[in-house]
Amino acid sequence: VLFRSGVRCDVQAELVGILRCFVLGREIRPLAALDQIGTPTTATWQLLDMITVEFTESGAKSRDVQITLDKYMEKRELKDRKEARKQVTKDLELLRVSAINFTEPRKKGEPQGYYKLNISSGAGISKSGVITFSFSDKFHFPLTIIVLTLNNSY
């Protein structure tokens, strides 16, 4: 997990842990073209960690998070800008189409109901190397509550 100074690490660690547990525990699954995009890797989770850290540092004021490609490369200790951009593009696309699936189990047979919650409403990287990730409205709200709650409890 990657942390930055300026925000208490305990709050960042708690949010990253909650977010990872929530996402992993609820089976994060890309909605479309999984075979074409791939599956989450360590780099994908590191990017999500960086996005989460930036989100907490902003005080959860905006659902849009921006990180420069240079900062991403520095945190991941990467040297090749072209390969880093390629990796970020792949990971952003994977996160952009990912959803958390909730199902209502039945005693017998198939689940009765379900709900898919996209974690992102958009993601991309600019020509100048600014990585942008936007949490979906329905995912941003609980994250904001978590950040505010954790900030008040520490």
Side-chain angles (χ1 to χ4, degrees):
V1 177
L2 305 167
F3 300 109
R4 293 181 48 200
S5 60
V7 174
R8 294 192 320 251
C9 286
D10 49 359
V11 173
Q12 288 181 347
E14 190 79 24
L15 180 59
V16 168
I18 289 170
L19 182 59
R20 278 186 167 204
C21 181
F22 185 58
V23 170
L24 289 172
R26 291 293 185 174
E27 297 182 70
I28 185 169
R29 293 181 186 234
L31 293 176
L34 176 60
D35 294 334
Q36 295 173 7
I37 298 170
T39 56
T41 64
T42 300
T44 311
W45 298 121
Q46 287 176 337
L47 178 58
L48 185 59
D49 288 352
M50 284 184 229
I51 290 166
T52 305
V53 168
E54 289 295 321
F55 180 74
T56 60
E57 287 186 339
S58 74
K61 293 178 183 166
S62 173
R63 62 188 189 91
D64 302 319
V65 177
Q66 293 188 323
I67 304 167
T68 65
L69 184 59
D70 291 336
K71 183 187 284 188
Y72 172 84
M73 290 176 62
E74 179 184 327
K75 293 289 185 186
R76 297 244 3 257
E77 298 178 352
L78 302 174
K79 303 292 183 210
D80 187 339
R81 189 171 178 85
K82 186 176 179 181
E83 283 301 312
R85 178 182 285 275
K86 193 174 174 182
Q87 182 66 51
V88 165
T89 301
K90 179 182 174 192
D91 291 336
L92 281 175
E93 184 61 14
L94 185 61
L95 292 172
R96 186 190 64 78
V97 300
S98 295
I100 299 170
N101 301 313
F102 299 90
T103 58
E104 296 177 29
R106 295 178 85 182
K107 291 183 181 181
K108 297 179 182 177
E110 294 294 317
Q112 183 173 348
Y114 75 94
Y115 187 78
K116 290 187 179 188
L117 175 65
N118 287 20
I119 65 170
S120 174
S121 62
I125 182 168
S126 70
K127 186 176 181 179
S128 63
V130 177
I131 301 164
T132 302
F133 183 87
S134 300
F135 287 106
S136 68
D137 288 336
K138 290 190 178 197
F139 198 73
H140 174 255
F141 180 73
L143 286 182
T144 302
I145 299 302
I146 291 168
V147 168
L148 295 175
T149 301
L150 293 175
N151 278 331
N152 289 331
S153 66
Y154 283 103

